[in-house]
Amino acid sequence: MNALYSLLFVFLLVLIPLFGVDAAHMRTFFGVCIPTTAFIIFIIGFVYKVVTWGRSAVPFRIPTTGGQFQSFDPELFKQNKLDCPQTGAQTFFRMVLEVFAFRSLFRNTQVSLHQGKDHPVVAYKSSKWLWLFAITFHYSFFIIALRHLRLFLEPIPFLPVGAIEFVDGILQIGAPVMYLSDAGLVAGVLLLLGRRLVLPRINYISYVSDYFPLLLILSVALSGIYMRYYAKVDIIAIKELTMGLVTFHYVVPESISASFFVHVFLVSTLMAYFPFSKLMHMPGVFLSPTRNLPNDSRAKHHVNPWNDPNIKAHAYADYEKEFGVPMAEAGLPLDNPENGVPKDEAEA
């Protein structure tokens, strides 16, 4: 049901510019006002989220680890420097692999329960398909975003725009040339969406906030593919509009078809929605204390900056002296049995 609600909402988003451009004659509104407002919301929301996260205090080292910590005998127990980094350099390389290769997702495992001879057996196996879907989707999205820089730059630089377009269309399929990133983005979104629809456990915990961004990105991709391969929009007129947005000399040529305004409206919705959605995991991975901190809690003493300097440390020995009697009455073990004797009995 959540998926259906999300699909209906995306469908309504498509209808808004279709009727607005032709019936209400609001070409300037959808071609200039909407994308400009969405871009402002995106920048302000993005910066606000990052600054808010950056100002959050992290008094402890809480990195997630999956390997051997540096031991007193490194020959006997070798440290896993990527899964359990202890220095800043090790943490840096861990972050590089996390950001560019999705390393933690690559290490994903699948749990299954099998019936053994005497009792059930839990089995674990490597599961790389989610990593493959995710990395295909993210890199395709990134490449498409870079390719679109040609609409906002004049002259168009060969690096990175020209080089990326050459590699992306190297198969030379169709006219205009089919880009590999287009197919990769659609395939990646469909597979990630299908995972939420097919797998019962994932479907049970999926909400509108999970389905809507996937369906919105899919609609953006399909509307762009429709413009490029089927509608054959006037790219010169579109470049005139986009350069006007960059230079603040706004112009909306009459030769631009309604399919372009649908695409722009969907992209604008995605930009405005981005800072307030789960899509903000993009900058969030850089600010996550479970990833960007070295695991050196046992090598260095970290003092909580929130501690009141007027409050002295209370060791367990002092705690036992203070509460030894009620602990003994409750049957709790004491390091020093004398602490469990009432003061008047001890003096007697």
Side-chain angles (χ1 to χ4, degrees):
M1 190 61 70
N2 290 326
L4 181 60
Y5 291 150
S6 302
L7 181 62
L8 289 176
F9 190 51
V10 171
F11 182 70
L12 290 175
L13 291 176
V14 173
L15 293 180
I16 290 174
L18 279 178
F19 288 100
V21 171
D22 294 331
H25 305 289
M26 302 174 67
R27 301 174 67 87
T28 302
F29 177 76
F30 286 100
V32 176
C33 299
I34 290 293
T36 303
T37 304
F39 182 74
I40 294 173
I41 294 174
F42 172 78
I43 294 297
I44 295 177
F46 192 96
V47 172
Y48 173 77
K49 283 282 188 178
V50 171
V51 171
T52 302
W53 290 340
R55 295 178 62 184
S56 300
V58 185
F60 303 110
R61 291 290 189 268
I62 55 172
T64 53
T65 59
Q68 174 63 43
F69 185 77
Q70 184 176 357
S71 65
F72 291 107
D73 190 350
E75 296 298 328
L76 182 61
F77 300 104
K78 293 185 178 180
Q79 178 196 5
N80 191 323
K81 297 182 180 181
L82 291 178
D83 285 328
C84 191
Q86 192 175 346
T87 66
Q90 295 170 3
T91 306
F92 172 78
F93 284 109
R94 184 194 194 193
M95 286 295 297
V96 168
L97 291 175
E98 186 67 32
V99 172
F100 293 101
F102 301 178
R103 186 172 182 272
S104 61
L105 198 58
F106 184 79
R107 299 170 65 246
N108 186 41
T109 57
Q110 181 178 351
V111 183
S112 57
L113 186 65
H114 303 277
Q115 184 61 42
K117 292 183 178 180
D118 301 324
H119 53 78
V121 178
V122 178
Y124 298 87
K125 66 178 181 180
S126 177
S127 181
K128 300 291 189 291
W129 59 272
L130 179 58
W131 170 83
L132 181 62
F133 298 167
I135 204 166
T136 300
F137 163 74
H138 284 85
Y139 270 102
S140 297
F141 197 102
F142 178 67
I143 291 172
I144 290 173
L146 289 181
R147 281 200 288 104
H148 277 68
L149 289 177
R150 67 162 31 252
L151 297 174
F152 303 93
L153 299 175
E154 186 63 40
I156 302 171
F158 179 75
L159 291 175
V161 180
I164 287 177
E165 286 187 342
F166 173 77
V167 175
D168 202 8
I170 198 168
L171 294 183
Q172 298 290 316
I173 299 176
V177 176
M178 185 190 77
Y179 288 125
L180 296 176
S181 57
D182 293 342
L185 179 62
V186 174
V189 173
L190 289 176
L191 292 171
L192 292 174
L193 183 62
R195 167 178 170 265
R196 291 195 174 274
L197 293 172
V198 174
L199 298 181
R201 290 173 297 179
I202 306 299
N203 181 269
Y204 183 76
I205 61 174
S206 297
Y207 297 94
V208 173
S209 59
D210 298 304
Y211 290 111
F212 177 68
L214 290 174
L215 290 171
L216 181 59
I217 293 173
L218 180 62
S219 65
V220 169
L222 292 179
S223 61
I225 290 173
Y226 174 78
M227 281 197 306
R228 176 174 173 82
Y229 301 107
Y230 298 99
K232 307 292 179 63
V233 295
D234 188 349
I235 191 65
I236 303 299
I238 291 175
K239 180 67 177 282
E240 184 180 358
L241 186 151
T242 55
M243 289 302 299
L245 293 176
V246 175
T247 59
F248 303 105
H249 294 87
Y250 304 118
V251 58
V252 183
E254 292 294 330
S255 59
I256 299 179
S257 62
S259 59
F260 170 77
F261 294 102
V262 172
H263 183 68
V264 168
F265 186 72
L266 293 173
V267 172
S268 300
T269 304
L270 181 62
M271 282 197 302
Y273 176 73
F274 193 101
F276 313 101
S277 69
K278 295 181 179 180
L279 300 175
M280 277 297 288
H281 66 266
M282 181 189 73
V285 67
F286 297 97
L287 300 172
S288 174
T290 60
R291 285 284 181 269
N292 61 15
L293 293 177
N295 183 34
D296 56 358
S297 297
R298 288 183 287 175
K300 297 180 180 179
H301 177 66
H302 298 280
V303 179
N304 188 348
W306 297 340
N307 289 345
D308 188 342
N310 299 319
I311 300 177
K312 303 302 179 182
H314 201 196
Y316 178 76
D318 298 328
Y319 179 87
E320 192 174 276
K321 287 180 180 180
E322 184 176 353
F323 301 101
V325 174
M327 290 174 65
E329 293 175 352
L332 298 176
L334 300 173
D335 290 346
N336 186 359
E338 295 180 359
N339 293 327
V341 181
K343 188 175 181 180
D344 54 350
E345 295 182 9
E347 292 177 354

